[in-house]
Amino acid sequence: MTELLFSYGTLQQDSVQMASFGRLLKGRADTLPGYRQTLIAIGDPEVVRTSGKAYHPIVAPGAATDSVPGTVFEITAEELAAADRYEVSDYRRVAATLASGVTAWVYVKA
């Protein structure tokens, strides 16, 4: 079964995809409406090593006029579980409707 995953941050990076999924993902540009993006400090050294970044983007509900650009990927259920393992406890996975009208999983502020 194919899952849709919307990424606005490090899951778009080739290095993170190879470490998490063992392959590069194919995706298309989309937008997450009604959310705003900020940065958080990442305390997990393995996640920092994989991404090369100590601060990662995170989204939270915002105004109706807010939106966050990113990429929607088609992944397997096993790859979605791998994405869950990669994301730190500051994030939780929710289903959201993107600007294109598709519903995808997205990691938002916990």
Side-chain angles (χ1 to χ4, degrees):
M1 181 176 162
T2 300
E3 301 280 356
L4 294 179
L5 176 64
F6 178 78
S7 173
Y8 52 86
T10 61
L11 285 172
Q12 296 178 95
Q13 293 177 213
D14 290 354
S15 61
V16 173
Q17 291 178 14
M18 289 303 295
S20 299
F21 312 121
R23 71 179 181 105
L24 296 179
L25 303 178
K26 290 183 173 37
R28 62 187 181 278
D30 212 326
T31 304
L32 177 64
Y35 282 79
R36 59 180 169 71
Q37 181 176 304
T38 59
L39 292 175
I40 62 162
I42 300 298
D44 184 320
E46 183 62 21
V47 172
V48 172
R49 185 194 64 72
T50 300
S51 70
K53 299 176 181 177
Y55 291 86
H56 288 196
I58 194 165
V59 297
T65 55
D66 289 335
S67 66
V68 177
T71 306
V72 62
F73 298 105
E74 289 187 16
I75 62 173
T76 66
E78 292 81 14
E79 289 168 333
L80 185 60
D84 285 345
R85 288 189 296 275
Y86 170 76
E87 296 295 354
V88 297
S89 62
D90 296 293
Y91 296 85
R92 65 184 176 94
R93 179 166 47 94
V94 300
T97 301
L98 304 179
S100 66
V102 302
T103 298
W105 295 112
V106 60
Y107 293 96
V108 302
K109 186 175 183 178

